[in-house]
Amino acid sequence: MLKTIKKYNLFIILFLLIVVFGLLNPAFLKGSNLLNILSQNSIIGIVSLGMTLVIIIGGIDLSVGSIVALCSILFASFVVSGIGILLSIVIALIAGALIGFFNGITIEKGNIPSFIVTLGMMSIARGLALMFSQSKSISLGNVDFNSIVNASFLGINISSFVFVLLTILLWLG
């Protein structure tokens, strides 16, 4: 019994928190609120799934936040330059994948601890993000980015679907 509790302690704590918040405010348990919470946390959830894989293999990646910032800056810069939203997304995703590939190859082939490699990449990515953005926010102007970010299917945000799908794939894998 104690072993089972230890194995599922985070799920138990999550369940208890949901019960407590539901008792304090019954509106918390409404479907619309739960979908809103899922939607607001789906991007962080997607990133955390990747970090879960890194942690499972005994590594650590300190550069994730800076790489996300750099890819976001690249995306916004390309959209503003007129490349288009879809191509900008693809370019930003490829840039992030290449940086991750570089980290992985450097760690594996260079036999350098992941802490050191990703600490260095954190500084490099942050510096590149500041350089590309000239330390200023980048306005997308009149580009209707909200239509992509807020796109939904069956009333559920697309990023939530992606998060749930990736969670299921990671769980099954």
Side-chain angles (χ1 to χ4, degrees), residues 48-104:
S48 70
L49 291 174
M51 288 301 300
T52 299
L53 294 174
V54 171
I55 291 168
I56 285 172
I57 64 168
I60 188 165
D61 190 345
L62 303 174
S63 64
V64 171
S66 296
I67 294 171
V68 169
L70 174 60
C71 292
S72 299
I73 294 292
L74 290 175
F75 165 78
S77 299
F78 288 131
V79 168
V80 168
S81 71
I83 289 182
I85 291 179
L86 203 54
L87 186 56
S88 298
I89 289 172
V90 170
I91 292 170
L93 288 174
I94 289 172
L98 287 174
I99 294 170
F101 181 75
F102 175 80
N103 279 349

Side-chain angles (χ1 to χ4, degrees), residues 41-53:
N41 291 291
S42 60
I43 301 301
I44 293 170
I46 291 168
V47 172
S48 70
L49 291 174
M51 288 301 300
T52 299
L53 294 174

